[in-house]
Amino acid sequence: MRVHLPYGEHGIDTEVPDGATVLLPEAVEPIADPDAAVRAAIAAPIGRRPLREMVRAGQRAAIVVSDVTRPVPNPVILPPILETLEAGGVRRDDITIVVGTGLHRASRPDEHARFLGEAILSRYRVVDHDARDASTQVFYATGPRTPGRPVGMGVWLNREYLNAGLRILTGFVEPHLFAGYSGGGKAVLPAIAGADEIMANHDARMIGHPKATWCTTHGNPIFEKMRDVALKTDPSFIVNVTLDEEKRMTGVFAGELAAAHDAAIAQAARQAIRPIPHLYDIVVATNMGYPADLVLYQAVKGMSVAAQACATGGAILLVAECREGVGGPEYAELLRSEASPRALLDRFESDGHLTVHDQWQAQVQAMVQARCDVWLHSSLDRAAVASAHLRYAPDVTRTLEAIVGSKRAELGRQPTVCVLPFGQLTVPRVDRG
């Protein structure tokens, strides 16, 4: 059976066994007029007054947007917000669009144009957050002063955001490998937080927590910390969207952070959580193609969601282009620093270990590899794949055939195969009946 897999900007076709389970997101009707939907959502928000009633002449406004690794339809979301601000008397020069990079690299000029659109880029001030530059951040108190802590509890956050009278957060809500879901509070922590705050939220204890996983919010310490910090910054308004596998908008959720984000999460869950009858011997998954599969670091999400359907001792074939390589130097060096994924896990879980940059992604990858063998089909060469402790897959169809043959010999039966063409937009859950 032939299956099309998102890969880079064009995708690839592959042959999978006829008996394979191809798991797709729940089909939902995309929004026919996205611009009208955004305008309606900000005019009748959830848990907030309409945005136009919150705007005052002379205010400064900051709008946080996602970077190039997220397929947020900013050219659709932003114009109604910007028009509403200016119609209410906010000067264009007093509006700043803050790219919430977290600890990702800075955006290139061509990427700004790609994810914002030339019209917005040419008219508004756009700045990338720099988590490592303390001069661009302000200490924001989130709790009372206590003995021994004369400055009180707090976090370092982007100065442009905190200095604004109107603080607007935007984003795309989808299942997330350890935060439960993206969007909502993630636009503050980690998007515009200082490096130390991000690493504390992503340390080994937090990442290893049993509830820090796909589609889990209640009791998830990472999700709860992100939301708590964001709420304490008193965001004025959020606009989050949900998308389908073709990156078409399926919902717009605007208003108060917690209420609007919860509504978006409910929609994302309806689309993404898919029942399966059992775990599978072999799982093929993507990272949804461009831009989510730019680097292996991001593609760990596809690997992790595949593990939700894979039996212990099974095999995962990850299909992700990785045109920009493995990822940042810290992540690449971290993977090379130990001889095996097991050794990485032992190091992260050892007493006294201090969190280092990009450890969280390496930890999730190692947690997957502790249970399953992982092959990677990408544009990376064999040496780069091996340096990441993965098995090299030069061709998807032939590699899958070889894995099936090996598993058949090992198990004494035809192995079961599951295919997740749209990666983290499909989260498998065993149906317990």
Side-chain angles (χ1 to χ4, degrees):
M1 155 169 74
R2 183 167 290 267
V3 177
H4 182 76
L5 301 176
Y7 176 87
E9 294 186 71
H10 304 294
I12 56 176
D13 293 321
T14 190
E15 293 290 333
V16 303
D18 288 339
T21 297
V22 179
L23 208 61
L24 302 174
E26 180 72 20
V28 297
E29 192 71 25
I31 293 173
D33 188 341
D35 176 75
V38 174
R39 293 178 188 279
I42 65 176
I46 302 168
R48 273 284 191 269
R49 290 178 293 150
L51 182 59
R52 66 178 180 274
E53 296 180 11
M54 304 179 71
V55 180
R56 296 290 179 267
Q59 283 180 307
R60 296 172 65 180
I63 305 171
V64 180
V65 301
S66 301
D67 69 6
V68 72
T69 63
R70 306 293 190 267
V72 184
N74 292 305
V76 177
I77 295 172
L78 293 181
I81 298 172
L82 294 165
E83 291 169 19
T84 302
L85 297 183
E86 293 192 56
V90 178
R91 296 187 312 140
R92 186 170 292 180
D93 288 347
D94 287 333
I95 299 172
T96 300
I97 296 172
V98 182
V99 181
T101 55
L103 279 168
H104 300 169
R105 63 164 174 78
S107 310
R108 300 191 305 262
D110 65 298
E111 291 173 337
H112 279 156
R114 184 186 286 263
F115 67 77
L116 292 173
E118 289 285 3
I120 290 173
L121 188 59
S122 64
R123 295 173 186 166
Y124 297 91
R125 179 168 176 259
V126 177
V127 298
D128 275 35
H129 174 65
D130 186 344
R132 299 177 183 83
D133 184 354
S135 70
T136 67
Q137 299 161 27
V138 174
F139 183 79
Y140 188 84
T142 59
R145 297 182 182 186
T146 57
R149 296 181 64 91
V151 297
M153 300 288 289
V155 294
W156 289 88
L157 297 173
N158 184 274
R159 183 184 301 275
E160 302 279 355
Y161 173 75
L162 291 178
N163 285 349
L166 275 172
R167 301 168 181 172
I168 300 173
L169 307 176
T170 68
F172 156 48
V173 180
E174 66 172 346
H176 190 274
L177 71 172
F178 51 75
Y181 290 90
S182 63
K186 277 183 104 277
V188 175
L189 176 65
I192 57 169
D196 288 347
E197 276 72 32
I198 297 171
M199 289 195 285
N201 183 248
H202 290 28
D203 71 14
R205 179 184 57 83
M206 298 280 267
I207 295 296
H209 192 283
K211 291 193 174 181
T213 189
W214 297 96
C215 301
T216 299
T217 57
H218 182 68
N220 181 336
I222 296 176
F223 175 90
E224 290 177 348
K225 182 67 173 181
M226 288 175 174
R227 176 169 285 188
D228 180 60
V229 168
L231 286 172
K232 285 178 177 175
T233 69
D234 194 23
S236 309
F237 206 82
I238 77 162
V239 180
N240 278 182
V241 299
T242 52
L243 305 176
D244 68 10
E245 63 273 19
E246 296 182 34
K247 301 180 177 66
R248 300 174 300 185
M249 286 170 52
T250 59
V252 185
F253 307 87
E256 191 272 329
L257 187 149
H261 191 213
D262 284 347
I265 285 172
Q267 175 65 24
R270 283 192 292 272
Q271 293 177 211
I273 298 176
R274 306 293 288 139
I276 54 175
H278 53 74
L279 296 177
Y280 291 81
D281 303 311
I282 303 167
V283 182
V284 181
T286 78
N287 208 53
M288 291 171 48
Y290 181 89
D293 71 353
L294 274 173
V295 292
L296 177 61
Y297 174 91
Q298 291 294 338
V300 170
K301 295 174 184 175
M303 184 191 310
S304 176
V305 79
Q308 305 301 299
C310 194
T312 298
I316 292 170
L317 174 53
L318 176 64
V319 180
E321 186 182 36
C322 306
R323 71 167 73 165
E324 292 191 2
V326 171
E330 296 94 341
Y331 171 66
E333 177 55 35
L334 193 56
L335 292 177
R336 290 193 296 265
S337 69
E338 299 289 352
S340 68
R342 182 67 259 173
L344 279 168
L345 274 184
D346 289 343
R347 173 177 159 190
F348 299 152
E349 295 169 357
S350 63
D351 292 340
H353 172 72
L354 297 177
T355 304
V356 295
H357 177 49
D358 284 350
Q359 171 184 304
W360 40 93
Q361 218 77 345
Q363 183 177 353
V364 171
Q365 178 179 332
M367 288 164 65
V368 172
Q369 291 179 281
R371 290 185 54 244
C372 312
D373 291 327
V374 184
W375 279 256
L376 173 66
H377 174 75
S378 69
S379 62
L380 301 175
D381 62 28
R382 187 182 294 271
V385 172
S387 74
H389 303 297
L390 301 171
R391 300 191 181 197
Y392 183 66
D395 178 87
V396 177
T397 298
R398 280 181 283 189
T399 300
L400 180 57
E401 288 174 349
I403 296 171
V404 168
S406 176
K407 283 292 179 186
R408 185 188 303 115
E410 173 191 334
L411 300 171
R413 58 170 172 78
Q414 187 68 14
T416 54
V417 179
C418 183
V419 184
L420 308 178
F422 299 105
Q424 61 266 33
L425 288 186
T426 314
V427 179
R429 287 271 177 88
V430 175
D431 186 354
R432 304 295 182 185

